[in-house]
Amino acid sequence: MMHVSVSSRPINTETLIQHHDAAFRYFGGMPQECVYDQTKLVVISEIFRELTLNQRFHQYATAVGFHIRACEGYDPESKGKVEAGVKYVKHNGLYGEAFANWHELERYLADWLDNTANQRLHGSTRQQPRAHYEQAEKAAMLPYLTPSCIQASSAESIVTRKSDKTGLIAWQGNKYPVPMAYQDSRVGVVNHNGQLRISDSPTGEIIAEHLIRLEQGQTIKNTDHYRDKAQRIAALETDIQQLLDDAEHGQALCALLKASAPRIYKDQLVGAKQVLAAHCQQHGRIHPSLLTLLIDTPRLTAAGLRDRLEAWHSHPQRYRETDTVLPRRTSSTVLKRYGALSKRCSDQGTSHVIH
C-alpha cells in the first residue's frame, strides 16, 4: 500500500517530517525501519558506511521510535522499489491531469489513492494493496502518535488578528508590524517554518513576513510599514517643481526620471531634489535653455542630471549658443512632451499622475 504527499514549495527537513507524519497516520502505524537514499534531509554524510544524520530528522525518528537505514551511495539496486512507486504515481496518477489550484490537486490525489492506487491488482502480489496490507502487514506495524516536536508546525492553520492603531499585532507574547494601510484592521496570521506570515484576510495575499522571535515582550519594528510611499512621491514631485519655479517643466522632468528608472523612481526623485537644491543654492535658478535640453534627452537619471549641470557650468558659453539656436518652449509643447513620457512609463507597467 502506498501514500503520496506533495508540496507547493521546495521540500526541507520540516516538510519531510510532516509528510512522514501524514503517511504514518494514513497507514495507522509505522514500520520498525525506514529506508532512505542519501538525501541531505536525512543523511548529512557517510564515511565507511558510518552515517552522520540530519539532527532534526534524527530527533523526529528517535521521538517516534523507528530506525533509519540509508542506502549505500551510488547503489540504485537498493532502492529500486521506491523508484518504481514514483514512476507509477507520475505516469498513472498525474500524467495528463490539470488542476485549477493546489487544493484540487490534493483532493484528487486522496481520491486516487483510495480508489485506484490501493485498490488495483498489484503486479507482484496479485492482490489489492489495501487488502494485502490489512491481512499481512498491518499487524507488524508499530503504534504511532504525532510527537510534540512537530505538533506546533505540522498544521499551518491561519488565525485572525486585529492590528491596533499603531499597526501592531500580538503573536505569542511579541508584537509585529503590518503595513500602514492595515492599521486597525483584521489580518490573517500563520507560523510557516519559523516565519510569521501576515496576509490580507479577504484575498489571502501576503502583506508582511517576520522572523518569529523566541524571546517574549519584544516589539519588532519595520519603518517601511509606516511610510505612505504615494504621498512621499507626490511631495518630492512638488518640491522639484518649486525648485525649478516652473510646474510644467517640473512635471516633464519627473516623467523623464520615471521613464528612465521606474523601479527606483522615489530614490531618483530624492537624488534629483538634492542636485537641484545644491545647484540653486550655488548658481541660482537653472537657465531655461539648459532645462529645455535636459528634458529633451531620451534618458535621464539623478546622477546624469548632476553630471550635465556640472558640464554646463564648466562651459558657460553654451548658454549663449543655445539662446540663439533653441526657441523658448511654449506650455503646449512642454505638456505634449510630458504626455509622451507618461505614456512610456505606462508601457512599462507604471503610471504617472499629474499633481
Side-chain angles (χ1 to χ4, degrees):
M1 191 169 74
M2 69 164 53
H3 178 266
V4 178
S5 291
V6 291
S7 174
S8 59
R9 301 179 182 86
I11 296 178
N12 56 21
T13 304
E14 289 298 332
T15 306
L16 182 65
I17 291 173
Q18 291 167 18
H19 288 178
H20 276 69
D21 178 69
F24 292 158
R25 286 187 284 108
Y26 181 80
F27 293 137
M30 66 176 183
Q32 296 180 6
E33 183 180 74
C34 292
V35 182
Y36 303 92
D37 60 9
Q38 297 208 14
T39 171
K40 298 296 185 183
L41 302 180
V42 179
V43 179
I44 302 299
S45 64
E46 174 200 0
I47 301 178
F48 307 120
R49 294 298 292 157
E50 297 179 13
L51 304 179
T52 301
L53 299 176
N54 181 306
Q55 184 177 0
R56 178 68 183 94
F57 190 83
H58 186 226
Q59 177 194 21
Y60 167 71
T62 302
V64 299
F66 68 83
H67 178 67
I68 297 173
R69 182 163 71 88
C71 298
E72 188 173 352
Y74 308 102
D75 182 19
E77 295 295 331
S78 60
K79 59 189 182 79
K81 291 183 178 180
V82 175
E83 298 298 334
V86 173
K87 185 186 298 183
Y88 175 70
V89 173
K90 287 182 177 179
H91 293 177
N92 185 284
L94 298 177
Y95 184 78
E97 299 291 340
F99 307 98
N101 52 58
W102 193 258
H103 295 296
E104 183 178 321
L105 167 61
E106 292 178 327
R107 287 195 298 268
Y108 168 82
L109 283 176
D111 179 74
W112 178 79
L113 280 172
D114 291 337
N115 299 307
T116 300
N118 292 326
Q119 297 296 334
R120 75 191 191 280
L121 189 65
H122 196 277
S124 299
T125 65
R126 310 307 298 173
Q127 299 181 42
Q128 290 182 339
R130 179 170 290 279
H132 178 75
Y133 173 76
E134 295 288 345
Q135 296 171 6
E137 297 177 343
K138 188 173 183 179
M141 298 288 278
L142 300 176
Y144 176 82
L145 290 174
T146 299
S148 60
C149 65
I150 67 168
Q151 284 178 346
S153 59
S154 60
E156 293 185 355
S157 56
I158 298 178
V159 298
T160 302
R161 289 288 187 272
K162 188 176 186 300
S163 64
D164 60 24
K165 61 182 180 181
T166 64
L168 296 173
I169 62 169
W171 179 262
Q172 295 181 353
N174 294 320
K175 291 190 174 181
Y176 298 85
V178 298
M180 187 176 65
Y182 292 88
Q183 290 178 354
D184 204 27
S185 301
R186 292 194 175 275
V187 295
V189 183
V190 63
N191 179 353
H192 177 76
N193 295 334
Q195 288 279 340
L196 186 66
R197 287 186 170 179
I198 306 173
S199 59
D200 177 77
S201 291
T203 66
E205 178 186 1
I206 302 298
I207 59 174
E209 286 186 295
H210 304 286
L211 182 66
I212 294 179
R213 302 292 182 88
L214 299 180
E215 307 88 356
Q216 292 190 348
Q218 305 290 314
T219 299
I220 291 79
K221 297 289 187 180
N222 186 339
T223 55
D224 189 59
H225 287 168
Y226 297 95
R227 300 170 182 164
D228 190 331
K229 296 182 179 180
Q231 291 184 4
R232 173 66 169 156
I233 288 175
L236 289 168
E237 291 173 338
T238 301
D239 292 342
I240 288 176
Q241 294 171 24
Q242 292 175 351
L243 286 169
L244 295 177
D245 197 20
D246 188 328
E248 294 170 354
H249 280 93
Q251 292 171 352
L253 179 62
C254 291
L256 179 57
L257 291 170
K258 188 171 188 178
S260 302
R263 293 186 178 180
I264 53 172
Y265 178 50
K266 180 176 71 66
D267 303 284
Q268 289 292 296
L269 289 177
V270 173
K273 178 183 175 182
Q274 294 175 356
V275 170
L276 293 174
H279 178 277
C280 292
Q281 184 177 5
Q282 186 174 1
H283 303 286
R285 185 170 175 265
I286 295 180
H287 195 280
S289 299
L290 175 56
L291 184 57
T292 299
L293 285 180
L294 289 172
I295 294 173
D296 271 342
T297 56
R299 185 177 185 277
L300 184 68
T301 63
L305 175 64
R306 178 200 60 203
D307 295 341
R308 283 175 168 82
L309 290 175
E310 291 177 353
W312 272 85
H313 282 290
S314 300
H315 303 279
Q317 68 275 13
R318 293 183 181 178
Y319 287 118
R320 293 190 293 273
E321 294 172 3
T322 53
D323 283 343
T324 59
V325 175
L326 295 175
R328 167 67 174 166
R329 290 297 183 94
T330 62
S331 298
S332 60
T333 305
V334 172
L335 289 177
K336 183 178 180 181
R337 169 69 172 163
Y338 172 74
L341 290 170
S342 296
K343 183 177 184 303
R344 178 151 47 122
C345 292
S346 62
D347 291 341
Q348 300 184 46
T350 56
S351 60
H352 187 75
V353 180
I354 300 176
H355 298 282

